[in-house]
Amino acid sequence: MKRLFAIIIVTCLATMSAMAQKSLPLVYGQEFAGAKYAAPLFPSVEEAVVSETLTNPFVFSDGKKRVKKFKDWEKRRAEIIRELYHYEVGEKPIVDRKDMEASLVNDTLKVVVYRNGETLTLTSRITFPEGDGPFPLMIGMAMNCLPPSFFSERGIATMNFNMNQVMAHQQKRGSEPINKIYPELVENGAYAMWPWGVSRIIDGLEMVGAASKIDMKHIGVTGCSFAGKMALWSGAFDERIALTIAQEPGGGGAAAWRVSETLGHVETLGNTDPHWFKESMWAWKDENVKKLPYDHHELCALVCPRALLVLGNTDYEWLADEAAYVSCVAAREVWKKFGIADRMGFSIQGGHGHCQLPTSQYPEVEAFIDKFLLGKNDANTTILHVDEKLADKEVQKWIPWATTGFK
């Protein structure tokens, strides 16, 4: 009888998981579905309380409510986004289509944004496969460090995002192209404004319509190092992106600030590039990191229920991949809660150059591309791969809520 009961339970769980796979969206038709929700309170450094462990993504900012069902996640997700706006990067504006123009000429997409009597122009050339489309699209942040054959052999279009048309790698605050139309956002970091540009490119594709030859339900973003952060922030902030592949993003990307603070010579909150974030973020450096109302496992979790793959490289201490490992395990709890854990994976391996994908990671990346850009549901995306340097690291101490937060 006990064995029969166990079989029934396992069958029911499998059925529920399969139902979740079918019912939860793989992508959305709008940039930020939670824009309608009010922002939470933003405690100052003096008001914030210390959390020695990673913050619980299932607890609302007021500490009173919890995410119990998937419908709660949209509201909780909106809170996390606004916390990231407030404390780290500044608000990412949404643009009304009446203030934009878009065209596609000789495979080059041109998007013009109008505001305050000024204009900002974005151009990106699309490399199309043979055929009439519509084609899935992978957008490379600054450049795509993944093997081109991953896309050319699969009939996937590619595009590189020209970040300097929005903001330079080392911005001069107030003097960047984006500041012509948003002079009031001089404090914004690059990781608000570069994703803003990516979203305007997606707007432009939508405005061009069928002539773009792009399958708007199958758009991915990828990048490596600082551009790996850019891919993660872009995927986190725009729900029209179906697949995010963040390659070796380091601190300010997938790595949790709290964990990084306990490591060696790594990119901590107080030791990252100030051009990429709000200058006011430095009030939270050093010991104050423990007071942040969130951490970067929640940046990763913003991609849920869409697909995310994080790639790491343990040969480079600066990347803080122990912090990325902890963060990925913590973030994946969100996908797990909703029965879609196969939509989030991580592979952290050494033995290769920075931004040089080793052949051992090829099948892992290809599986995510096959499933989430091509719709091949038999692709195995249950990927939780760390090399021996991280295998014995303690993770559970950072996420005590992972075993108690679902009750």
Side-chain angles (χ1 to χ4, degrees):
M1 181 61 71
K2 289 183 178 179
R3 183 172 182 274
L4 177 60
F5 181 73
I7 292 173
I8 292 172
I9 291 294
V10 171
T11 302
C12 288
L13 289 174
T15 301
M16 289 171 64
S17 178
M19 290 175 63
Q21 292 277 6
K22 293 179 181 179
S23 62
L24 297 187
L26 287 160
V27 72
Y28 292 80
Q30 55 187 314
E31 181 178 348
F32 180 16
K36 58 190 174 186
Y37 296 111
L41 295 176
F42 301 120
S44 65
V45 173
E46 294 73 26
E47 296 167 334
V49 298
V50 170
S51 176
E52 298 283 352
T53 60
L54 296 191
T55 48
N56 189 336
F58 302 110
V59 176
F60 281 83
S61 297
D62 62 7
K64 300 176 182 178
K65 302 175 183 177
R66 286 178 174 266
V67 174
K68 295 181 179 180
K69 299 180 180 180
F70 181 73
K71 66 180 182 180
D72 301 325
W73 179 241
E74 180 178 277
K75 185 174 182 180
R76 175 65 184 130
R77 182 178 178 279
E79 285 190 337
I80 298 168
I81 286 177
R82 290 201 166 90
E83 287 173 340
L84 287 163
Y85 284 170
H86 180 80
Y87 293 110
E88 286 203 24
V89 295
E91 184 169 356
K92 175 196 171 199
I94 294 176
V95 180
D96 194 306
R97 296 294 172 84
K98 67 180 177 58
D99 298 320
M100 296 179 61
E101 292 181 358
S103 59
L104 183 66
V105 179
N106 296 328
D107 295 347
T108 295
L109 178 70
K110 179 180 179 180
V111 179
V112 183
V113 182
Y114 299 90
R115 188 171 184 265
N116 294 330
E118 298 284 351
T119 62
L120 183 146
T121 300
L122 302 172
T123 57
S124 290
R125 183 177 179 273
I126 304 172
T127 299
F128 290 102
E130 293 184 4
D132 298 325
F135 304 105
L137 173 69
M138 178 59 81
I139 304 175
M141 303 293 104
M143 63 179 295
N144 182 355
C145 291
L146 300 178
S149 61
F150 283 8
F151 309 103
S152 61
E153 293 176 0
R154 287 173 167 79
I156 297 171
T158 57
M159 168 197 288
N160 285 337
F161 169 62
N162 297 320
M163 66 180 196
N164 289 326
Q165 294 178 341
V166 176
M167 181 174 281
H169 182 266
Q170 301 286 293
Q171 70 157 308
K172 295 181 180 178
R173 293 188 185 270
S175 301
E176 299 298 320
I178 191 71
N179 297 128
K180 291 181 180 180
I181 60 173
Y182 292 109
E184 73 277 19
L185 299 184
V186 65
E187 191 185 4
N188 275 27
Y191 289 125
M193 304 290 44
W194 287 331
W196 176 91
V198 174
S199 291
R200 304 294 70 82
I201 289 293
I202 296 174
D203 285 346
L205 291 170
E206 290 180 338
M207 293 170 71
V208 169
S212 75
K213 299 194 293 185
I214 297 301
D215 176 357
M216 298 304 298
K217 292 184 178 181
H218 292 94
I219 293 177
V221 292
T222 188
C224 189
S225 198
F226 86 93
K229 303 188 220 303
M230 198 190 312
L232 179 57
W233 284 91
S234 296
F237 280 174
D238 196 317
E239 294 173 274
R240 298 170 296 182
I241 294 170
L243 172 61
T244 300
I245 301 178
Q247 185 180 5
E248 302 180 40
W257 290 129
R258 281 171 173 80
V259 183
S260 292
E261 198 64 36
T262 69
L263 304 179
H265 181 63
V266 303
E267 189 174 3
T268 61
L269 185 149
N271 197 23
T272 188
D273 194 313
H275 301 90
W276 299 340
F277 301 90
K278 294 176 68 174
E279 292 178 327
S280 58
M281 184 181 79
W282 269 256
W284 300 85
K285 68 180 182 178
D286 302 331
E287 283 297 309
N288 285 337
V289 164
K290 298 176 183 178
K291 291 185 173 184
L292 277 175
Y294 62 91
D295 213 317
H296 274 220
H297 63 300
E298 290 171 295
L299 170 64
C300 295
L302 292 178
V303 179
C304 181
R306 296 165 293 121
L308 170 65
L309 176 64
V310 177
L311 303 172
N313 188 341
T314 55
D315 288 355
Y316 295 82
E317 182 182 6
W318 179 252
L319 294 176
D321 271 332
E322 181 177 343
Y325 173 39
V326 173
S327 190
C328 285
V329 173
R332 194 169 182 269
E333 291 294 324
V334 178
W335 280 268
K336 281 172 62 178
K337 179 174 178 63
F338 304 126
I340 51 172
D342 67 327
R343 298 185 190 181
M344 193 277 172
F346 54 88
S347 179
I348 304 173
Q349 302 181 39
H352 59 95
H354 184 44
C355 294
Q356 297 177 25
L357 191 77
T359 55
S360 59
Q361 287 182 323
Y362 278 26
E364 301 169 336
V365 176
E366 290 177 303
F368 266 79
I369 292 170
D370 285 344
K371 180 173 281 189
F372 300 111
L373 290 188
L374 298 180
K376 296 182 179 180
N377 292 324
D378 59 344
N380 181 11
T381 54
T382 302
I383 296 167
L384 314 172
H385 187 178
V386 292
D387 67 19
E388 293 180 356
K389 294 180 182 179
L390 298 180
D392 61 347
K393 300 298 182 181
E394 292 186 60
V395 175
Q396 191 60 44
K397 69 177 183 179
W398 289 104
I399 51 173
W401 44 264
T403 56
T404 61
F406 308 142
K407 295 181 180 178

